[in-house]
Each structure stands twice: as C-alpha cells, then as structure tokens.
Amino acid sequence: MSVRPSEPPSHRPDSIQSVPRNSRTRGAGKSIDNPADSKSASSPATDKEDQHSGSLTTVLIAVGANLIIAIAKTVAAFMTGSASMIAESAHSWADAGNGTLLIVAEKKAIKPADDSHPLGYGKESYVWSMIAAFGVFMAGSIVSIYTGITEWNAAESETNYTIGFIVLAVAFLLEGFSLVQAYLQSKKHGKAINISAIGYVVNTSNPTLRGVFFEDLAAVTGLIIAAAAMGMHAYTGEPFWDALGSIIVGLLLGVVAIFLISRNRDFLVGHKVSEDIHFYALEKLLNHPDIDSVSYLHLEWVGPRKIFMVAAVDIAGNQKEQELAQKFEDIENEFRGNPLFQEAILTLSIPNAEILVLPDS
C-alpha cells in the first residue's frame, strides 16, 4: 500500500471523532488549527526538492534586491540627511543580513538524520529564522526609532529630496518584485487547499517563506511611509515629519519581528499539525489492510513539511511476536517513504482502549 499524499475527501470534519470503550482516552484527534500545511496532504505535487528550491529562489531574489536597495539608500541618506532615509537604509541592510540567515536556515534544515539527531535537522530552520527575526528587531526597529527620536527637534534646513524620492521609487519596484514572488509561491500552495495566500504564509511550517514574505511586506509599507514623511517635510519645512516617519517605520519592523519570533517559537517548542493533516494520517492508518483500529495518534512538526508520527494500533489477526514486529516495521517504512513524514513509530493499543474513527463512520 502506498501512503503518498493523495487528494483528501471534499468533506472536512469539525473534529476527529472517537468511540469510547471505557473511561480512558488517549489523544482523540485534538490538534492545533494550521490549515496551510495540509497542502502536503492534499496534493501529490508535494516534493521536498521542489519546495526547497522554490523557497531558496524566493530568498535569493529577496537578498539580491535588498543588497542593491541598501547601497542606494545609504548613498541617498548621506546626500539628503533624511531621518526616514536613514531608517530605510538600516532596514534594507538588516533585511539583506536576515536573508543570508534564511539561506543558512534552508541549507541546515535539509541535512539528513543521523545518530545525534534521529528526527533530522528540520528545526534548525526555525532557529535561524528566529535569529533573523531578532535581526529585524535589533538592526531595523531600534535604529529607526532611535534616529527618529534624535531628529525630532532638529533645526529647519534646506531640503532637496529628489535623489531620495528616486531611490525610494526604484526600491519600491525591486521590493515589490520580491514580494510578488513570495506572494505567488504562497498563492500556489494555498490554492491547493482553498485558502488565501496570507492564510498559507501565516500558518505554513516553512519559516523561510513566511520570513521573506513579511519582511518584503514591511519593506514596501515602510517605503510608502518614508516617502510620505519626506514629502511632508519638503512641503511644510517641518523636520519632525521626517522623524515621525522614521519612528513609524521602526514600530512597523518591531511588530513584524515579534510576529515572526512568535511563530518560530511555536514550531520550536513542538507544534501539532492541523486537523486536516491529522485526519489524513488517521485515514491512511485505518485504511491500511493490516490495521484494525487506532487508539492514539500524535503528529508533530519537526521541520518544514516534516512530521513525526506516533500511533497506537491494533493489528489484524493474531500475529506472533516476530511477525508483529516485522509488520510494524513494514507499515512504518511505508510512512517514512512519504515526503510528509520524517519518522513514524507504531505501538500496540492497550486492551479495551478508546478507538479513533473517521467522521460519519
């Protein structure tokens, strides 16, 4: 039997149901809502190499754009003395550094499992993505807010922001291209499970895609804020507008950084899969010809698109101990051959345990 991901049934359960046999219960299908990652369970197109390549391409585009933009903004900041442009310069250098860390995350996460890391190195991606998020907060948010505060009461001066506006316009095009690339990748994955691109990127187990998307979104928003602040300064002659723009950009970066840190923390401490994927795995187990029932099922993300499964099952027939051990190994290997699963472990259900059943059964 193959357990490759297949198209799920059109009717989704409100929850995984259970049939009580006695007062004991064991994890009867409770899961954290994370619909985005059920792409892996809903489309046979899921392939580790293809998804890794797509994420890496997205990051490389973002890093290249940020390097060009950071250099241009730095030159414009020296020429104009604009607080908002200084903040945007710091933002772009931070994004370029963070993008480099996300590339490290992609590379580290695909290392194969070994004796010291039997569940693989998937969680490395969350560690490096969290470090990248801290980089946004420290280098982007703090520098931008500090610059705005120090420039708040600056004396009026002659302003010529022409070069600044040109740089912001070019940056908007480059950052916009990078954002569109991340958006299209998210939309493609989300379309497979009928959710929006934003819904996918917020909940996906892939921290690289989430990091690039929200950094680019913050960058595009920051450019609009900086342009408005510089425009108000040039129009009114009041430098506090420019300082205010820098502070707002800093606060925006802080919010994005806190969000990314929080999501990476969720996956690092052990994040259960969505109900859709829980249902998918339960269905595969119950439809296996050698399994009579399932009394316990635990599914946890251990890396981008990688799940650790533990299940208690009742094997069909009266198998001898040696035959039973071989049967478990065969079924586990079928799940290990599925790109969605990093590891699968089966054990025998206890006598009279509460069993899990598919909805409407």
Side-chain angles (χ1 to χ4, degrees), residues 36 39 51 184-193 200 209:
K39 173 189 183 295
Q51 292 197 26
L184 291 177
Q185 186 183 356
S186 302
K187 183 179 180 180
K188 181 180 69 173
H189 297 331
K191 185 178 180 180
I193 52 173
Y200 179 83
L209 177 60

Side-chain angles (χ1 to χ4, degrees), residues 287-299:
N287 288 340
H288 197 285
D290 294 318
I291 295 178
D292 276 346
S293 64
V294 179
S295 63
Y296 175 78
L297 180 59
H298 174 80
L299 301 166

Side-chain angles (χ1 to χ4, degrees), residues 76-96:
F78 277 111
M79 293 179 66
T80 63
S82 166
S84 294
M85 186 59 74
I86 293 173
E88 279 299 305
S89 175
H91 179 187
S92 292
W93 283 113
D95 280 355

